[in-house]
Amino acid sequence: MVLGLDSGNDSSAPQPDQGRSLTRAQRACVYGTGGVAMEVVFTGVAQAFHRDRANWKLQGHSYLWMLPLYGALAAYVYEPVRDSLRRRPVPVRAVAYAAGTIALEYASGRLLKRTVGVIPWDYTGHGQFVRGGGATRLDYAPLWAVAGMAAERLSDRLRRRPTPAPELS
């Protein structure tokens, strides 16, 4: 016994609850909430570094559309992609996440434009890398790659799956 913890194999000792995987709908709620929270932090911090009008209020924002978009796309699109890329090298996964997110951002932005008349996150006027009538920014690819890589661990934890080691080749 070390520090009051028994390291023996006593089967009567309480075992940690491994729990069950969250349902897909529950995971969608977690992804949606996490995505909106990250967006609020990102937009708040980005204000402080704006070259023309830096603002240290750090007032972030998001859009109610983002909750179901982040949630549904992560639970129903990202997770299957994650599963198919599980053992691929990091650069391959990162590029896939960046490209996939840009494609989904474009598609969902254009769909919202057609159905409700507006792209809530319209990037028009934010540089030369804006595409799709303001639906996406190609210069955000590195950020989306990092977000996709970070979401791997969250996805694995929510589904109670071990994070595999990538292939070396």
Side-chain angles (χ1 to χ4, degrees):
M1 188 182 297
V2 178
L3 298 174
L5 300 174
D6 185 4
S7 60
N9 292 331
D10 181 8
S11 62
S12 65
Q15 300 295 315
D17 181 16
Q18 295 299 317
R20 281 180 275 167
S21 173
L22 297 178
T23 66
R24 192 173 293 241
Q26 290 169 327
R27 294 191 312 270
C29 288
V30 172
Y31 291 128
T33 303
V36 168
M38 284 186 2
E39 188 169 306
V40 168
V41 169
F42 177 82
T43 58
V45 171
Q47 281 186 4
F49 298 100
H50 194 279
R51 86 181 124 211
D52 297 330
R53 55 183 190 280
N55 182 339
W56 284 93
K57 287 198 288 186
L58 302 180
Q59 184 177 8
H61 66 276
S62 187
Y63 311 95
L64 291 177
W65 289 108
M66 302 316 292
L67 190 63
L69 283 173
Y70 282 134
L73 291 174
Y76 294 93
V77 178
Y78 174 81
E79 286 184 352
V81 169
R82 163 71 175 135
D83 291 343
S84 69
L85 296 174
R86 278 181 109 47
R87 297 204 178 271
R88 299 288 188 165
V90 169
V92 170
R93 297 193 325 263
V95 167
Y97 297 146
T101 302
I102 287 170
L104 290 169
E105 184 179 45
Y106 173 82
S108 59
R110 300 306 297 161
L111 178 65
L112 283 171
K113 178 74 170 177
R114 276 194 299 266
T115 57
V116 300
V118 67
I119 299 170
W121 57 87
D122 192 345
Y123 296 124
T124 301
H126 289 274
Q128 65 186 24
F129 297 105
V130 174
R131 296 291 184 266
T136 194
R137 289 181 65 165
L138 301 178
D139 59 329
Y140 277 6
L143 299 172
W144 290 128
V146 169
M149 296 304 298
E152 287 185 343
R153 295 215 185 259
L154 176 61
S155 172
D156 290 344
R157 287 182 185 265
L158 294 177
R159 297 187 295 158
R160 303 288 195 265
R161 294 184 177 184
T163 302
E167 293 177 3
L168 297 175
S169 56

